[in-house]
Every structure is written in C-alpha cells, then in structure tokens.
Amino acid sequence: MTFPISLALPVRYPGPPPAAADVVVIGGGVIGVMTSLYLAEAGQKVILCEKGRVAGEQSSRNWGWVRQQGRDPAELPIMVEAMRLWQGLSQRLGDGLGFRQTGVMYLANADRDLEGYERWLPHARENGVDSRMLARCEVEAMLGTSSRWKGAMYTPSDARAEPWVAVPMLAALAVEAGVRIVENCAVRGLDVAAGRVVGVVTEAGRIACDRAVVCAGAWSRLFLGAHGVAIPQLSVLSSVAATEPMPEIYPGAAADDDFAFRRRADGGYSLAPGSGHDFFIGRDAFASFGAYLPVLKKDYRSTAFRLAAPAGFPDAWGTKRQWGDGVSPFEAMRILNPAPNMTLIRRMQDAFARAFPALGRPKLKTVWAGMIDTMPDVVPIVDHAPLAGLTIATGMSGHGFGIGPGMGRVVADLVMGRAPGHDLSRFRLARFRDGSKIAPGPAL
Ligand SMILES: Cc1cc2nc3c(=O)[nH]c(=O)nc-3n(C[C@H](O)[C@H](O)[C@H](O)COP(=O)(O)OP(=O)(O)OC[C@H]3O[C@@H](n4cnc5c(N)ncnc54)[C@H](O)[C@@H]3O)c2cc1C
C-alpha cells in the first residue's frame, strides 16, 4: 500500500481562490483546518490555502495519539478542551474519525522513567485528568505479556483517531461551515502596506484580507523569515509503519524508548521507533543550535544527525530564503514526503517481537515518515506576530494532532480579538528574544 495522501490523489478543492476574504489561513493541516472551521462558525469569511493536499504532511503522517498524558502544564487545559471537542466532533461525524477513548500508556524501562511520570501526575489532578501509575503486574495483565517494564503511567480517557481519514473529514466539515479551501495553492507571501497585512500573494493570484494566520507546519520558519519574522523552528524526521491486521493485545496506545504502538481501526497497529529520529543539518540548524542545547542535552542519543536535507526541503542548503513574488519553495515541494529510516523501522519490528513473542515479528503493510516541526522548548508559538493582522500557530512539536481542535478554537478567538480562554503566555513569540530561559516542556 502506498501512503494514502499523495499528489496522486485528485485535487478535491480546486482554485482559483476568491479575490477577497476576512481571513486567509495558510496551511491545510489539522491546525489550519480547525482554525478555519471555528472562524467560519463565528461568521468570518475564510479562505484556506494549501500548497499540496489537505493533511498531506504531518497531519496524516502522525501516530494518531490523542493524549492529555505527559503534556506541558500550559498545554494541558487546551488539551482537556480538545478532548471534549473531539467527543462532539465524533458525535457529529461518526465512526469514520476513528476517535475512541481507549487509553494511553507510557511504559517504564527504568526507575527514573517512573519518577518522571510521578512528577507529572499532579498536573493531571489539577486538570481533572484520570492519569495514574500502573504496577508491573497491572501492565503485564493489560498487555498480556511478561516483560522488563517496571510499571507505567496510564490515562484511560486518552484516545486515538485515524489521522489520514479524520483530518480530511474535518476539512469537509469546515467547507460545510463556509470555509473556501483551495488546494495546489501555495501562499508565496504577505501583501503588507503601512505595517499591516492587506492581503496574501498566492501562486494563483492575490487575495485581499486584513488578517492572515500562518499554520504552515514545517514551512513556517521559511515563510515568516522571508518577512523578517524570525522563529527558531527546526524539523526532525520521524519514521512510522502500519502493520497488517494482527490480534488485539490492547485497544489503546503505548510506548517505551524502543517502540510505540497504537491500535488502528483496520485491525493493525501504527508502529514507530519510540524516540529515535533523524535530523538534517542546514542553515537554520546552525543558526538555532544554541537554543536547542537544553533539549539536546536531555535527548541527543536518540537523534541520528545527517549532513544535508534532500533538495527542496525547508532547511535544505539550496532552498531559497527570499523569492519576492516569484515561484516559491512552497509550490516546488507540494508534499514533504521524506524517506523513512529503514534501520530504525527494522529495529522497532524486532523490539516489538521481543516484547510480544506470541504475535511474532509484525508484517508491515506501509512505511512512511514525516517532518515534525519543533521548537526549542517543545511547545508551540500561538501568538500575534509583530506585524498587524498576522497570527502565528505553529511549532506543535510532535503533539499537534490531538490538541488540534482545542488549538483551532483558541487561534480562531485570537484572530478575532476575543479572549482565548486560556493563558497563552508560554506560547508567546517574544520568549525567544526577551531573554527568557528556554525551559523545555516534559516531552514525556
Ligand atoms: C511521525 C509523526 C508522529 C506524530 N504523532 C503524533 C501523535 O500521535 N499525536 C499528536 O498529537 N501529534 C503527533 N504528531 C504531530 C502532529 O502530526 C503535528 O503536530 C500536527 O499535525 C501539526 O499540524 P499543523 O497543521 O501545524 O502542520 P501540518 O500538518 O504539517 O500542516 C501544515 C500544512 O501547511 C502547508 N503549507 C506550508 N506552507 C504553505 C504555504 N506557503 N502555502 C500553502 N500551504 C502551505 C503544508 O503543505 C501542510 O499541509 C506526529 C507527527 C509526526 C510527523
């Protein structure tokens, strides 16, 4: 099976885009889609421009975990809201979303893992989340295998959903609410006059608007950089596989350092190396190296450094940083589709087979990878830009799928100048410039 969202998929939302809107949303991942939906429901005229296909990048390639467990304390209230929104969306859209509250489990290989989980638990209690520790024997009973795990942290109300089905369904809901989506429509830049946004320039012409939202995932740094707005965002390559149908060992999602798995609606598992990933060195990586030292110190062993990104990637050595109104790097790479790291995939298959010997080595039906956009403190930027009319919602740092509905609601309110209902100060853009200490979130 090839990956379900690719350029072979016919364009579902053709252009050209209308000439004007209240708000243009740049990027058709889960954040852009949900922001558009809530803006349209509030009566705004919204155009969402996607350079390739809706959910072609991270929003279809992720593991499908919808988790509260292990979140940064500032994200947790938004995630709790997101869980309620997922429940409502699932009632509206039905089983196709694949939303099921089947639990998330973090398995502990060492005592220090257990200690880390215990330190996080008070955040769950403060937010009414049902996370708890599991003893070794409880883990063995729930997963049906004896193992080396010392215990786990478990959140029964955490959930799963089917990314490459769910996000296109949510996009269809946004269209029903009045959003005009245009695929194959890269936004090349902003039209700025007298210090404020007066439109966006797309490959299919200009759209007049007085507000724009950058939800461009791994491309946000390149897009914003061309307008003088610097953000220290980088991307890491994360590899994933879908197995053939297998017996159900546990209906939810679980992970340790060696592998992560999530039961899928089709009877297989989405399997991934637990923490292993690849990182391409480029100009942005050099520029932001210092900012990432705190996270690197915590986790450099799981990173495989590679000297250069493939041509056309956001931080490839040859990627243009300025293009005026001409052809941009965005339309030159409609879908970022990195090759998975097969060494990591094979190791993960072996680790899974060792942990579940009764199941044998899992047979893989598809493998793929995604570029995870991340920030030095592993929490996003959700803020107004220092350019009137521009809002930024990016850098979801590997956990933006589950929180997508909550973030979309928050961003929509931010764009409309309404109180977002949560404290967003942790997500402010200025934290990277005002001398604040970079404090990485739990990234558990
Ligand atoms: C392998 C992997 C596993 C993950 N697992 C999980 C998980 O289990 N749970 C979880 O919560 N999160 C997970 N994540 C993270 C999650 O997928 C992302 O945080 C989330 O999808 C980000 O959504 P987004 O809308 O910000 O970005 P994206 O989904 O990347 O969307 C951005 C879109 O913007 C478009 N775009 C960019 N520039 C332009 C432009 N100039 N003009 C027009 N369009 C443009 C792109 O084509 C793209 O479609 C995972 C990610 C990966 C890659």
Side-chain angles (χ1 to χ4, degrees), residues 25-33 48-67 71 79 163 167 182 185-189 203 214-220 223 236-240 262 272 323 328 330-331 333-336 368-373 393-404:
V25 173
I26 303 163
V30 68
I31 302 300
V33 164
L48 184 160
C49 296
E50 164 53 53
K51 67 180 168 60
R53 300 291 185 276
V54 162
E57 298 194 346
Q58 296 174 85
S59 292
S60 58
R61 292 163 187 269
N62 65 73
W63 298 353
W65 294 37
V66 178
R67 73 176 164 85
R71 291 254 170 197
M79 183 60 226
V167 181
V182 189
C185 185
V187 177
R188 292 178 171 170
E203 61 180 304
V214 178
C215 307
W219 300 89
S220 300
F223 185 89
V236 294
L237 184 153
S238 177
S239 304
V240 196
R262 193 257 309 167
W323 46 89
S328 71
F330 312 117
E331 65 244 53
M333 177 70 76
R334 296 209 180 272
I335 297 184
L336 203 46
W368 69 90
M371 296 300 292
I372 296 183
D373 69 318
T394 198
M396 298 292 144
S397 303
H399 40 267
F401 174 65
I403 206 170

Side-chain angles (χ1 to χ4, degrees), residues 139-412:
V139 174
E140 290 185 358
M142 284 176 75
L143 298 185
T145 185
S146 60
S147 73
R148 62 188 189 277
W149 296 309
K150 299 200 160 210
M153 177 162 72
Y154 174 57
T155 303
S157 64
D158 273 348
R160 61 185 224 209
E162 299 301 332
W164 63 69
V165 184
V167 181
M169 283 177 80
L170 295 168
L173 187 66
V175 169
E176 257 176 54
V179 175
R180 176 70 196 272
I181 298 181
V182 189
E183 292 179 320
N184 264 3
C185 185
V187 177
R188 292 178 171 170
L190 303 168
D191 188 3
V192 178
R196 65 162 305 125
V197 172
V198 292
V200 303
V201 179
T202 81
E203 61 180 304
R206 180 178 180 274
I207 305 173
C209 63
D210 59 8
R211 280 154 302 153
V213 193
V214 178
C215 307
W219 300 89
S220 300
R221 178 179 186 152
L222 190 61
F223 185 89
L224 290 164
H227 290 280
V229 179
I231 63 168
Q233 177 189 48
L234 296 176
S235 296
V236 294
L237 184 153
S238 177
S239 304
V240 196
T243 71
E244 297 286 356
M246 294 172 76
E248 180 170 297
I249 36 179
Y250 154 72
D256 74 357
D257 291 342
D258 296 331
F259 63 89
F261 66 96
R262 193 257 309 167
R263 183 72 175 166
R264 304 158 50 83
D266 63 9
Y269 291 91
S270 282
L271 268 187
S275 50
H277 52 259
D278 296 58
F279 180 75
F280 299 114
I281 298 169
R283 271 170 58 178
D284 294 345
F286 271 106
S288 299
F289 180 74
Y292 280 82
L293 276 175
V295 267
L296 270 174
K297 273 189 205 148
K298 268 170 91 176
D299 196 24
Y300 68 93
R301 279 194 199 85
S302 44
T303 308
F305 290 94
R306 287 156 62 175
L307 285 180
F313 274 41
D315 194 23
W317 291 101
T319 298
K320 281 194 217 160
R321 309 289 157 151
Q322 293 288 343
W323 46 89
D325 284 348
V327 174
S328 71
F330 312 117
E331 65 244 53
M333 177 70 76
R334 296 209 180 272
I335 297 184
L336 203 46
N337 180 28
N341 179 330
M342 291 310 294
T343 307
L344 286 180
I345 295 273
R346 280 189 285 271
R347 259 188 233 150
M348 156 213 87
Q349 273 175 292
D350 294 341
F352 187 83
R354 275 196 303 276
F356 299 102
L359 294 183
R361 199 162 190 269
K363 289 197 180 60
L364 306 183
K365 126 173 131 173
T366 324
V367 289
W368 69 90
M371 296 300 292
I372 296 183
D373 69 318
T374 188
M375 302 303 299
D377 45 9
V378 213
V379 291
I381 296 172
V382 183
D383 199 357
H384 295 296
L387 177 59
L390 185 65
T391 303
I392 303 173
T394 198
M396 298 292 144
S397 303
H399 40 267
F401 174 65
I403 206 170
M407 271 303 176
R409 204 281 300 150
V410 163
V411 176

